[in-house]
Amino acid sequence: MHIEQLKLTNYRNYDTLALNFSPKINVFIGENAQGKTNVMESIYVLAMAKSHRTTNDKELIRWDSDYGKIEGAVQKRHGILPIELTITKKGKKGKINHIEQSRLSHYIGQMNVVMFAPEDLNVVKGSPQIRRRFIDMEIGQISPVYLHDLLTFQKILKQRNHYLKINQGKVMIDDVMYEVYNEQYIHAATQIIRKRFQFMDLLQEWAEPIHAGISQGKETLAIKYRTVAGIEKEHTPSEVENLLHKKLLEAKDREFDRGVTMVGPHRDDLQFLVNNYDVQTYGSQGQQRTTALSLKLAEIELIKQETNETPILLLDDVLSELDDYRQSHLLNTIQGEVQTFVTTTSVDGIHHETMEHAQLFHVKQGAIEES
């Protein structure tokens, strides 16, 4: 899979922009704050219908405009697929082959991308929220059903939290209503938890040998999905539901005291172990970066396996964050197979034959020149 053409209208600092890309490597060179990351972001938004940089969609629209639009021509195994995303202050609409989709969950997954930016190092060393977002975004690309289940869960979680909030601190609680909310919540949470376990198994399958290769066989990577309810991947759906119910009852007083749901997938986390040590707590910066790189390269293989299409790789100002060895390993892996987009302030420090055949775009004050 690769994107042949990109068109932007009223997106960030671009009023109009049209670019044609190489199916191999495309490099955007320029100083900071010139607009190169905006192009990279637009490709990500076109694929995922959300930004990796902001949760406020209004920021994506050019400041003096009512809407922004991203259009792409995606080459897939069976031909060219036009996709389009329009962003307004009221929401987003996606089109596949010029046909508007009733839900964004139907739109996402038509173009698969793997983003690697400096902030992705936080998947390893940052907060649990970042890791949960990582899981949800990656599963969502390969499973529209998961996206639907996630939206359902989030809606029920919001309702349950509202119920807890309006009853916060009360002595007498309607137990029948409490159990109704629990039943809906437990069913939705079970779907999410089981799918996450399945995804983690697949990711582990790819990430472990990749990590061993980068570390020259000196390290073994293990990825664990940790649930606050003590659920393990071996548990059956009914066992998961029973455990969730038990933990919710144990947390009942605390939940009504605080007015929020304290048990469920919105509180779960990932743990990365290198040679059985928690790399977040005990790993060196090099080990943390190797783990993050292994995850990203594993994502490429996993998406390829699940969709029969090679995803597009977005490297946003990340090559400068990697030492020469990890940089070379990354570029060797993608060479000739994965369409790759790179943003950088200079190519001088990148010594690899892949870069010799790259299509270069020079970015200055929102103007882009190809060379």
Side-chain angles (χ1 to χ4, degrees):
M1 176 190 300
H2 63 269
I3 180 168
E4 289 196 343
Q5 187 180 65
L6 177 74
K7 290 182 180 179
L8 303 181
T9 306
N10 301 329
Y11 186 88
R12 291 281 194 182
N13 64 322
Y14 295 101
D15 51 0
T16 58
L17 180 68
L19 297 171
N20 294 298
F21 300 126
S22 162
K24 295 189 176 178
I25 189 159
N26 301 270
V27 182
F28 290 85
I29 307 164
E31 296 300 320
N32 293 329
Q34 300 301 303
K36 60 186 189 296
T37 292
N38 291 345
V39 177
M40 186 77 82
E41 177 194 45
S42 72
I43 298 171
Y44 186 89
V45 174
L46 181 65
M48 303 297 291
K50 63 171 64 177
S51 170
H52 66 294
R53 297 159 73 197
T54 180
T55 55
N56 184 359
D57 291 333
K58 292 176 185 176
E59 292 178 16
L60 306 179
I61 303 170
R62 189 172 165 85
W63 67 272
D64 57 349
S65 303
D66 295 325
Y67 76 98
K69 185 189 289 186
I70 313 167
E71 300 168 78
V74 184
Q75 178 68 58
K76 303 182 79 168
R77 283 186 305 124
H78 302 300
I80 292 280
L81 179 70
I83 59 174
E84 177 186 311
L85 188 74
T86 301
I87 308 154
T88 69
K89 289 163 186 179
K90 293 182 179 178
K92 292 168 286 196
K93 287 289 184 182
K95 288 184 180 180
I96 302 171
N97 206 10
H98 310 294
I99 299 171
E100 188 171 300
Q101 304 301 298
S102 57
R103 293 179 178 173
L104 284 176
S105 58
H106 297 162
Y107 169 86
I108 297 167
Q110 298 301 314
M111 182 174 87
N112 301 120
V113 297
V114 172
M115 166 69 80
F116 194 17
E119 57 263 29
D120 285 306
L121 296 170
N122 288 327
V123 169
V124 177
K125 63 183 182 181
S127 69
Q129 184 179 0
I130 293 171
R131 287 184 284 279
R132 287 191 294 268
R133 185 177 186 272
F134 161 74
I135 302 172
D136 292 338
M137 297 294 280
E138 299 318 318
I139 305 177
Q141 284 204 77
I142 59 177
S143 174
V145 173
Y146 180 82
L147 277 181
H148 180 264
D149 289 345
L150 184 63
L151 289 170
T152 300
F153 168 76
Q154 289 169 342
K155 182 179 177 181
I156 293 170
L157 173 64
K158 187 176 180 181
Q159 292 170 344
R160 189 176 188 274
N161 281 341
H162 178 69
Y163 171 75
L164 293 171
K165 195 72 177 175
I166 61 174
N167 287 284
Q168 190 174 3
K170 290 184 180 178
V171 178
M172 299 294 291
I173 303 296
D174 183 346
D175 283 336
V176 174
M177 200 64 206
Y178 173 70
E179 281 302 327
V180 168
Y181 275 106
N182 277 358
E183 184 179 345
Q184 293 176 337
Y185 176 78
I186 288 167
H187 178 74
T190 298
Q191 306 297 318
I192 300 302
I193 291 169
R194 284 180 55 78
K195 191 68 178 179
R196 284 180 177 177
F197 271 120
Q198 292 167 12
F199 177 77
M200 285 301 111
D201 272 356
L202 291 172
L203 194 63
Q204 169 77 37
E205 188 181 310
W206 287 107
E208 186 177 347
I210 289 171
H211 189 99
I214 300 173
S215 65
Q216 299 176 303
K218 296 174 184 174
E219 296 177 354
T220 301
L221 174 66
I223 308 169
K224 304 292 183 185
Y225 178 47
R226 303 294 190 194
T227 71
V228 290
I231 296 162
E232 301 292 343
K233 66 179 180 180
E234 295 81 11
H235 287 141
T236 65
S238 61
E239 287 172 332
V240 173
E241 291 186 354
N242 289 337
L243 264 171
L244 282 170
H245 190 251
K246 177 187 174 186
K247 293 295 181 180
L248 285 171
L249 290 179
E250 289 175 2
K252 182 178 178 180
D253 290 344
R254 284 182 294 135
E255 287 190 337
F256 277 108
D257 184 50
R258 298 187 187 183
V260 292
T261 302
M262 301 181 68
V263 177
H266 64 297
R267 296 278 179 141
D268 294 345
D269 198 1
L270 290 183
Q271 184 182 30
F272 303 106
L273 303 171
V274 171
N275 294 345
N276 294 319
Y277 288 96
D278 187 328
V279 73
Q280 180 186 16
T281 306
Y282 301 106
S284 66
Q285 187 181 64
Q287 286 175 319
Q288 291 174 344
R289 291 184 176 199
T290 297
T291 300
L293 177 56
S294 300
L295 288 175
K296 291 298 171 179
L297 295 177
E299 279 182 62
I300 293 172
E301 299 301 329
L302 176 53
I303 291 172
K304 194 192 306 182
Q305 174 185 284
E306 295 297 307
T307 66
N308 291 319
E309 294 275 9
T310 302
I312 295 161
L313 179 61
L314 308 175
L315 302 175
D316 188 13
D317 202 26
V318 78
L319 289 181
S320 60
E321 297 285 326
L322 301 174
D323 60 27
D324 288 345
Y325 178 74
R326 292 179 181 85
Q327 196 181 93
S328 292
H329 197 97
L330 170 58
L331 293 172
N332 285 339
T333 303
I334 64 174
Q335 193 170 13
E337 185 182 2
V338 181
Q339 186 186 33
T340 303
F341 293 85
V342 176
T343 62
T344 182
T345 54
S346 173
V347 292
D348 293 344
I350 306 170
H351 305 292
H352 196 277
E353 61 188 71
T354 300
M355 301 301 287
E356 295 174 8
H357 307 289
Q359 187 166 338
L360 304 181
F361 298 89
H362 296 272
V363 186
K364 189 172 183 179
Q365 294 180 338
I368 299 181
E369 290 184 4
E370 185 182 340
S371 65

